[in-house]
Every structure is written in structure tokens, then in C-alpha cells.
Amino acid sequence: MDIINVEFVRELVEACTYFWEAGWGECHAGNISYLLDEKEVEEVKDFLKVHATVPVDFDTEGLEGKCFMLTRSGSAFRTMKKRYMHDMGIIRFIKGAYEILWGFDDGEGRPTSELPAHILCHRARLQDDPKNKIVMHCHPTYLNAMTMIHELDEEEFTKTLWKMNSECVLVFPEGLAMLPWMVCGEGPIGPATAEKMKNKRVVIWPFHGIFSSGNSLFDAIGLIETIDKNAHVYVLTKANMLHSMTDENVEELRKHFHL
Ligand SMILES: [Zn+2]
């Protein structure tokens, strides 16, 4: 049997393809990490062996024994379907390090350079929601455009999106978090993103992209779709906008849906 026949593996590879088709994962952009539960580890156990052990310089407390499937540093979403053996991998955390158990060219490659951001975000989300499984990053076109023409205040940004469509407040009632522009990759952006994820599922990186999380691929992708769709409406209409929903309208929705 090929590992691609395991449902969660196939869904992750399909998600990468979808991101590229949506225009959110150009060139080497975008990365995904997925926390395996015990049943999923069991499903792939015949494929797993320790190919490499890699020390990390972030705190692994609470992560030991946890397995993640994630995209490789330098991988491309466009070619993921053909190259998943090279461009995806499964790692397991031990104290101060992780082991590469499958993929990344049998341990030759390394996970995404955003690994610290991903792992710290998983830890932050799990404290808020023990069912969280996904953290994903990509470059939604209209969201990035909106960060260039809207003030970079997370509350104002959230309110503007809530007013674009009656269903936005249903999809992200807790609102969106936003960082100031920061250098991406390893460094302070990881802990800063995780800090925001303590009580939000989505963090926007202005002029760059989005970090989204959720209990399933459907949830995490649905958040990005909804945000980018309504950022698109904002970008299309901003110059000529006559009106949108008011703060009072959003309050009515919040009451009506008991949010
Ligand atoms: Zn990026």
C-alpha cells in the first residue's frame, strides 16, 4: 500500500494542490502542519522509522511523543501531488529535538522554516481547544491587498470584514488577530504568532499572508476562504463604496446567532 491511500495524507496533499489552484501558494509559499491522533499514527505505522534526529532551539515541553505531518522547507504546492514523498514528512518530538519518521527524501530534507511558528501555534491552540489539529500558512491575494489599503488594527480590520457579508461574524465570531510587519522564518515572529493564537484561530501577517488553524482541514481552509473572499469584496468596492453593514447590523447578527 502507498501512504497516499491513507485518508488524512491524501487530504493534506489535496489541500496543498487546492492552495496552489486558489493562487495562495505560489513558488515555495505556504506550509501546513497536521497533528496526528493515535488512530492516525496507527494507520501509517508501517511506513515509519527514524531517519534522522534534529535538535531544536525551542522548548519542546508538552510536545514529546506528538507526531506531525508537515510540508518541507523549499517545497512547492504546485507539484505536491507528484512529489509528496519528497515534499512532505512525518516527525515525532522527543525532548529538545524531533525525529524524522517518514518523507523529506528519507530524512534528507527538513520541515518548513516556519516550523517554530507552527509548533508554538499548535501548543497555543491546544490550550484553548484540545481538538485543534491544523496550522496552515499561505498568501491569500486579496487579504494581502487589503492589508495595504486598510489600517492595521486587528479590531478595525475584523469589523470591516464582518460588515462585508452577513456570514462573516458566524465564521469568525472571535475576530482576527494581526501582527505588525515582521521578518518571517525562524525568529521572533513564531512566538509572536503563537501568543496571538492563544485566543484566536487566525493571525494575519500584513504584506505577507495568514496563519489559520482548526480542528479539521475544512475548518482551517474555510476560515481562509471566507476572509479572502470578503477581502476581495472590500478591495473591489473600496474606492466607490456607498455603504456596507453598520456596527449595529453586526450586533444584530451577533445577538440573532447567539455568538
Ligand atoms: Zn509566507
Side-chain angles (χ1 to χ4, degrees):
M1 183 173 112
D2 191 312
I3 199 168
I4 198 71
N5 296 320
V6 177
E7 190 178 354
F8 78 88
V9 177
R10 196 185 65 247
E11 284 183 351
L12 277 168
V13 171
E14 284 172 356
C16 293
T17 305
Y18 171 58
F19 277 20
W20 181 71
E21 287 168 351
W24 303 338
E26 75 282 2
C27 194
H28 299 301
N31 33 70
I32 298 184
S33 57
Y34 181 91
L35 173 59
L36 279 66
D37 59 32
E38 278 174 23
K39 184 174 147 278
E40 288 163 336
V41 173
E42 189 63 25
E43 283 173 346
V44 294
K45 74 171 193 307
D46 292 345
F47 299 95
L48 306 183
K49 78 172 206 199
V50 179
H51 292 285
T53 302
V54 185
V56 293
D57 54 9
F58 53 87
D59 183 9
T60 54
E61 200 195 329
L63 294 169
E64 285 111 7
K66 288 196 189 317
C67 291
F68 293 88
M69 185 161 200
L70 22 69
T71 47
R72 179 177 178 164
S73 174
S75 64
F77 281 177
R78 181 173 62 83
T79 50
M80 193 58 79
K81 242 182 197 158
K82 272 192 196 149
R83 291 183 45 87
Y84 61 88
M85 302 287 282
H86 310 274
D87 285 349
M88 294 201 103
I90 295 175
I91 65 171
R92 176 174 60 206
F93 276 93
I94 56 175
K95 193 172 172 51
Y98 61 81
E99 299 167 319
I100 298 177
L101 298 182
W102 173 84
F104 301 146
D105 275 332
D106 294 335
E108 288 293 307
R110 291 292 176 265
T112 167
S113 63
E114 316 280 7
L115 178 73
H118 275 260
I119 298 306
L120 297 176
C121 285
H122 274 282
R123 189 153 57 193
R125 290 306 308 142
L126 286 168
Q127 281 168 11
D128 190 44
D129 176 0
K131 290 189 177 151
N132 194 80
K133 285 180 77 72
I134 300 272
V135 173
M136 56 173 59
H137 166 66
C138 63
H139 298 175
T141 310
Y142 293 99
L143 173 65
N144 281 349
M146 185 169 165
T147 64
M148 290 165 199
I149 58 173
H150 192 284
E151 73 180 288
L152 298 178
D153 174 278
E154 60 188 23
E155 279 187 29
E156 293 305 319
F157 205 90
T158 298
K159 279 187 192 167
T160 299
L161 283 171
W162 279 345
K163 291 174 193 173
M164 291 295 108
N165 187 299
S166 305
E167 294 187 3
C168 279
V169 73
L170 274 170
V171 178
F172 47 93
E174 79 276 34
L176 312 176
M178 181 180 280
L179 290 180
W181 180 85
M182 295 173 78
V183 174
C184 54
E186 293 169 12
I189 199 165
T193 306
E195 186 61 32
K196 293 280 189 187
M197 280 220 166
K198 282 182 176 169
N199 56 5
K200 300 270 168 62
R201 291 172 295 160
V202 171
V203 182
I204 295 166
W205 290 0
F207 326 133
H208 184 152
I210 192 168
F211 257 76
S212 175
S213 62
N215 301 350
S216 66
L217 277 164
F218 188 91
D219 290 349
I221 294 174
L223 278 165
I224 302 172
E225 287 174 330
T226 308
I227 291 163
D228 197 55
K229 159 71 182 262
N230 291 290
H232 190 172
V233 175
Y234 180 79
V235 170
L236 284 176
T237 57
K238 182 177 189 280
N240 300 305
M241 193 184 289
L242 283 178
H243 38 232
S244 69
M245 276 180 274
T246 62
D247 288 335
E248 291 72 29
N249 296 152
V250 174
E251 192 51 35
E252 280 181 60
L253 288 167
R254 192 192 274 286
K255 281 190 185 138
H256 181 76
F257 291 111
H258 309 291
L259 298 168

